[in-house]
């Protein structure tokens, strides 16, 4: 997505010398500016922001580091300085005029008398900036505006809209563009978006699918719960390919199997009949609970947990599923668990290869262990941990504000409980006996108090981003992507902004856009994938806790009309391997049906 003018940070470079605009090596009290070299390890060149002025199509050039602005003090030597901003002051307003025939080069013209920035003496190592009359042939009056790392923009040079002024001069204002930025490095690419199945769509001719359930949106957890009327992807046969699964209130779970080439069966088949007395509050998932390589249907219904296992013939046992546990359900007899209050997880808490059921109720954390026979143990008389719950006595954790996770943060093979509350990150470590310790406050970040206002607006994930054993925290915060590396002992390094992208400051909002972490390249490390305005953006994991600048890899599945006009509340989109090659593809449920963009697992260069 193009970075807005106000958010974009730029370095200003003199075209004649290749040197950066900044402070002198020994700054003076007058705030004078110079161009000079800035060696590595020392002070950096200033980062500038272009703020539209109210009048005359001009800009205020603001120092993003100090907050001061470029100013013409009208002194005898016409030396330019930086000074405190004053609203409406003409001496602090500038026009940007392109150099004819020189892409990416500009004159920076003062709004008061149309003089332009120039060098007092281009031959000096450090020379002051002055204002002079235009000289179309003077290289010293030409400037480049270079995006400063780690800001991502989408263009090889900034694009501008032409503006004409009363005095005959022309200036240019930044304009949005979805053009790709050429990159010599490698980024995985996807095919064009193709309609592969005219079913499972929101249009009436494609089935009229409309979510009526209470399922939660994808987050950092490995298992997704879906409600009646929803569609998702899952390996229904154990073949290593994701199939389409849809939940019909009257019919149950239906599927269209992957053909292995990016397409699906034209005819849907019944996967599993509905549970008794199906309800919009029921939550479904399809996951291998026993480790035998075959998926099972798990339903959280009014009467508790219902389970249907898949036999060797591919059929699921027990029509409607067997009652596996009278708990974790939305009926009062099963505990009164509500989707908007009480998160529930399927996770191997003991390291025996079988999934257990973990839930956070009003009074804390409850666990039902699965034994070797596939039976789930009844719940104990009280919560295993009186924390991470909805009630005030258990911490006042709210599902829409405080995400909770199960992940191994110590490398002992047992998951710990991690949550992001108002004040930051809390953790309860699990010991070798399966006991959870009292929660510890381990990080003052990723909380509501630090600007992470909601679980949906600022998704957070807990997973390994490097070759290390410990899980890291990755979040899409107000300013971009933030990572806190796990130390392997249940604590985390200080959170660090690693990418100025995919955040609300760059225009990403939960009402329009989706953001995921998924292994796009097949190297075992999660990459960032965002469904933005223009299409799908990928930021590749560099393997050291950092992420590359984002690249537009598919001009589809996006919010803008040119990218398909996809909407979060109507058009689910997923990253799943539908071919069995070990790399995720893009699958979306649009109006007419199912769209796919194949992962081409090749490098690309932009046009």
């Amino acid at each position: 997505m193009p970075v807005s003018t106000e958010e974009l940070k730029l370095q200003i470079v003199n075209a004649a010398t290749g040197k950066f605009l900044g402070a002198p090596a020994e700054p003076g009290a007058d705030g004078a500016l110079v161009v000079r070299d800035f060696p590595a390890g020392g002070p950096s060149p200033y980062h500038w922001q272009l703020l539209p002025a109210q009048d005359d199509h001009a800009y205020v050039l603001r120092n993003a580091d100090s907050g001061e602005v470029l100013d013409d003090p009208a002194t005898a030597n016409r030396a330019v300085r930086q000074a405190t901003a004053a609203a409406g002051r003409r001496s602090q307003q500038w026009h940007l005029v392109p150099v004819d025939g020189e892409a990416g080069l500009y004159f920076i013209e003062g709004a008061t008398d149309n003089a332009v920035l120039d060098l007092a003496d281009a031959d000096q190592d450090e020379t002051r900036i002055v204002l002079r009359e235009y000289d179309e042939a003077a290289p010293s009056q030409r400037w480049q505006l270079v995006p400063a790392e780690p800001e991502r923009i989408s263009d090889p040079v900034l694009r501008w809209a032409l503006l004409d002024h009363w005095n005959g001069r022309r200036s240019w204002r930044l304009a949005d563009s979805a053009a790709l930025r050429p990159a010599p490095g490698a980024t995985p690419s996807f095919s064009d978006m193709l309609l592969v199945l005219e079913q499972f769509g929101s249009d009436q001719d494609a089935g009229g699918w409309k979510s009526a359930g209470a399922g939660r949106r994808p987050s950092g957890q490995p298992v997704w719960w879906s409600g009646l009327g929803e569609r998702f992807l899952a390996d229904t046969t154990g073949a290593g390919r994701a199939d389409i699964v849809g939940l019909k209130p009257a019919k149950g779970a239906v599927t269209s199997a992957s053909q292995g080439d990016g397409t699906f069966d034209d005819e849907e088949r019944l996967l599993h009949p509905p549970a008794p007395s199906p309800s919009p509050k029921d939550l479904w998932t399809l996951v291998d609970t026993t480790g035998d390589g075959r998926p099972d249907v798990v339903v959280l219904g009014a009467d508790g947990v219902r389970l249907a296992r898949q036999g060797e013939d591919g059929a699921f046992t027990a029509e409607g599923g067997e009652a596996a546990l009278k708990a974790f359900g939305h009926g009062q007899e099963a505990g009164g668990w509500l989707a908007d209050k009480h998160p529930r997880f399927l996770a191997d808490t003991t390291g025996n290869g079988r999934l257990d059921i973990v839930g956070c109720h009003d009074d804390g954390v409850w666990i039902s262990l699965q034994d070797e026979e596939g039976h789930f143990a009844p719940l104990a008389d009280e919560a295993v941990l009186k924390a991470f719950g909805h009630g005030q006595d258990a911490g006042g954790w709210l599902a829409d504000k405080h995400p909770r996770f199960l992940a191994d943060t110590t490398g002992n093979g047992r998951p710990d409980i991690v949550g992001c509350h108002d004040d930051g990150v809390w953790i309860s470590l699990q010991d070798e006996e399966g006991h959870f310790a009292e929660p510890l406050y381990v990080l003052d970040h990723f909380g509501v108090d630090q600007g992470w206002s909601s679980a949906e607006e600022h998704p957070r994930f807990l997973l390994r981003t490097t070759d290390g054993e410990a899980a890291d925290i990755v979040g899409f915060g107000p300013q971009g992507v933030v990572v806190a590396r796990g130390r392997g002992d249940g604590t985390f390094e200080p959170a660090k902004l690693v990418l100025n992208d995919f955040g609300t400051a760059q225009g990403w909002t939960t009402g329009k856009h989706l953001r995921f972490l998924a292994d796009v390249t097949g190297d075992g490390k999660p990459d960032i994938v965002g469904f933005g305005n223009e299409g799908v953006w990928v930021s590749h994991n560099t393997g050291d806790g950092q992420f590359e600048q984002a690249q537009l890899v598919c001009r589809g599945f996006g919010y803008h009309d040119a990218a398909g006009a996809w909407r979060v509340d109507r058009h689910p989109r997923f990253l799943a391997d539908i071919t069995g090659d070990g790399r995720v593809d893009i699958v979306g449920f649009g109006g007419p049906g199912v769209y796919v963009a194949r992962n081409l697992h090749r490098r690309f260069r932009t046009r």
Side-chain angles (χ1 to χ4, degrees):
M1 299 165 64
V3 177
S4 66
T5 302
E6 291 80 0
E7 295 296 335
L8 187 65
K9 296 189 179 84
L10 302 165
Q11 292 173 343
I12 301 178
V13 183
N14 183 259
T17 63
K19 297 179 180 180
F20 294 87
L21 178 64
E26 296 182 2
D30 59 356
L33 295 170
V34 301
V35 294
R36 67 182 181 93
D37 291 322
F38 288 83
S44 299
Y46 286 147
H47 292 172
W48 299 89
Q49 292 173 293
L50 302 179
L51 307 181
Q54 294 181 350
D55 302 320
D56 200 24
H57 306 296
Y59 280 100
V60 173
L61 275 69
R62 177 181 179 272
N63 186 325
D65 305 307
S66 68
E68 295 184 307
V69 300
L70 196 69
D71 182 75
D72 170 14
T75 55
N77 62 4
R78 301 305 307 271
V80 176
R81 63 172 184 168
Q82 59 175 344
T84 303
R89 180 176 292 176
R90 295 282 290 170
S91 65
Q92 295 180 352
Q93 297 178 14
W94 308 86
H95 297 145
L96 298 158
V97 183
V99 178
D100 288 339
E102 297 286 348
L105 295 183
Y106 303 91
F107 297 106
I108 300 177
E109 174 190 85
T112 53
D113 59 2
N114 304 123
V116 297
L117 294 193
D118 200 350
L119 304 183
D121 187 348
D123 295 329
Q124 292 185 6
D125 291 335
E126 178 177 305
T127 184
R128 288 198 169 196
I129 308 300
V130 297
L131 283 166
R132 288 193 175 126
E133 293 184 359
Y134 266 105
D135 182 352
E136 302 283 352
S140 59
Q141 294 185 0
R142 305 178 183 191
W143 302 86
Q144 290 178 290
L145 304 176
V146 181
E149 298 291 348
E151 294 286 357
R152 186 268 294 165
I153 70 162
S154 57
D155 299 307
V157 294
L158 300 179
R159 299 214 173 173
W160 307 78
L162 175 63
L163 301 172
D164 291 307
H165 299 286
W166 64 270
N167 59 0
R169 286 287 183 185
R170 298 189 304 174
S171 69
W172 298 66
R173 187 173 291 276
L174 278 172
D176 285 348
S177 170
L180 290 170
R181 180 176 130 189
T187 301
S189 181
F190 289 81
S191 69
D192 292 335
M193 184 180 71
L194 299 174
L195 178 64
V196 299
L197 184 64
E198 294 182 358
Q199 295 181 60
F200 296 98
S202 56
D203 294 349
Q204 288 301 313
D205 292 342
W209 287 78
K210 182 179 180 181
S211 176
R216 62 179 178 82
R217 293 181 180 176
S219 70
Q221 297 300 329
V223 175
W224 299 350
W225 297 105
S226 297
L228 294 177
E230 295 188 352
R231 295 143 287 172
F232 59 98
L233 285 108
D235 182 359
T236 66
T237 64
R241 300 192 301 263
D243 309 307
I244 295 171
V245 179
L247 302 176
K248 290 186 173 180
K251 197 172 183 179
V254 297
T255 184
S256 179
S258 170
Q259 296 297 293
D261 59 357
T263 65
F264 299 90
D265 282 346
D266 291 334
E267 297 295 328
E268 69 179 41
R269 65 179 177 86
L270 180 64
L271 182 68
H272 186 65
S277 303
S279 166
K281 296 181 181 179
D282 293 348
L283 298 179
W284 290 61
T285 194
L286 205 68
V287 64
D288 179 9
T289 64
T290 62
D292 63 2
R294 294 191 296 270
D296 309 304
V297 175
V298 183
V299 182
L300 305 180
D303 57 350
V305 181
R306 301 190 69 86
L307 185 66
R309 302 192 190 278
Q310 189 179 56
E312 294 183 359
D313 60 354
F316 286 89
T317 60
E319 183 172 322
E322 297 179 346
L325 184 64
K326 197 172 184 178
F328 298 108
H330 54 83
Q332 289 303 312
E333 69 275 16
W337 293 73
L338 304 178
D340 60 352
K341 289 184 178 181
H342 309 130
R344 283 149 284 178
F345 311 94
L346 291 169
D348 179 9
T349 65
T350 64
N352 66 357
R354 291 176 174 271
L355 299 185
D356 310 303
I357 306 174
V358 182
C360 301
H361 207 287
D362 291 339
D363 52 355
V365 179
W366 295 79
I367 297 179
S368 173
L369 300 179
Q370 182 184 181
D371 62 24
E372 294 182 357
E373 303 299 323
H375 300 136
F376 288 93
L379 296 186
D381 294 335
E382 60 181 22
V384 301
L385 184 65
K386 294 182 179 180
F388 298 103
H390 181 80
Q392 289 301 315
D393 291 341
W397 293 74
L398 305 178
D400 60 343
K401 288 187 176 182
H402 307 135
R404 281 149 281 181
F405 309 92
L406 291 172
D408 182 6
T409 65
T410 63
N412 67 356
R414 290 175 175 266
D416 310 300
I417 303 173
V418 182
C420 303
H421 208 283
D422 289 343
D423 51 357
V425 180
W426 291 78
I427 186 168
S428 173
L429 298 177
Q430 183 184 184
D431 62 23
E432 295 181 356
E433 303 300 323
H435 301 135
F436 287 91
E438 284 298 310
L440 297 174
Y441 180 65
V442 294
L443 189 65
D444 58 346
H445 209 94
F446 299 105
V448 176
D449 294 346
Q450 293 88 33
W452 301 70
S453 57
S454 73
E456 284 193 349
E457 194 67 62
H458 302 297
R460 278 145 279 183
F461 299 79
L462 197 65
L463 73 178
R464 289 191 300 116
T465 63
T466 67
D467 292 328
E469 293 293 328
D472 310 310
I473 303 174
V474 182
F476 297 96
Q479 302 303 320
V481 180
V482 178
V483 174
R485 295 283 302 278
R487 292 191 174 109
D489 59 359
T491 66
F492 299 88
E493 295 178 1
K496 180 181 179 182
L497 180 68
V498 299
L499 188 66
N500 283 1
D501 208 343
F502 298 106
T504 51
Q506 293 84 31
W508 293 79
T509 65
T510 187
K512 294 182 178 181
H513 313 120
L514 299 173
R515 288 156 289 177
F516 301 94
L517 287 175
D519 181 8
V520 172
T521 61
D523 64 358
K525 300 180 183 66
D527 308 296
I528 298 171
V529 183
F531 292 80
N533 287 334
E534 309 91 343
V536 183
W537 295 87
V538 167
S539 178
H540 185 231
N541 188 332
T542 60
D544 57 357
Q546 302 289 324
F547 293 89
E548 293 178 353
Q549 300 298 300
Q551 296 283 345
L552 184 64
V553 298
C554 180
R555 292 182 181 275
F557 302 104
Y559 185 83
H560 283 170
D561 290 347
W566 291 72
R567 298 296 181 260
V568 170
D569 59 345
R570 296 199 301 272
H571 307 133
R573 282 151 284 176
F574 298 89
L575 297 165
D577 180 7
I578 62 174
T579 63
D581 65 359
R583 297 176 175 88
V584 294
D585 308 290
I586 304 171
V587 182
F589 296 91
V594 181
Y595 290 83
V596 166
R598 288 278 309 277
N599 189 330
L600 303 179
H601 53 86
R602 63 172 170 81
R603 302 301 195 178
F604 82 102
R605 297 174 72 92
T606 59
R607 291 193 295 270

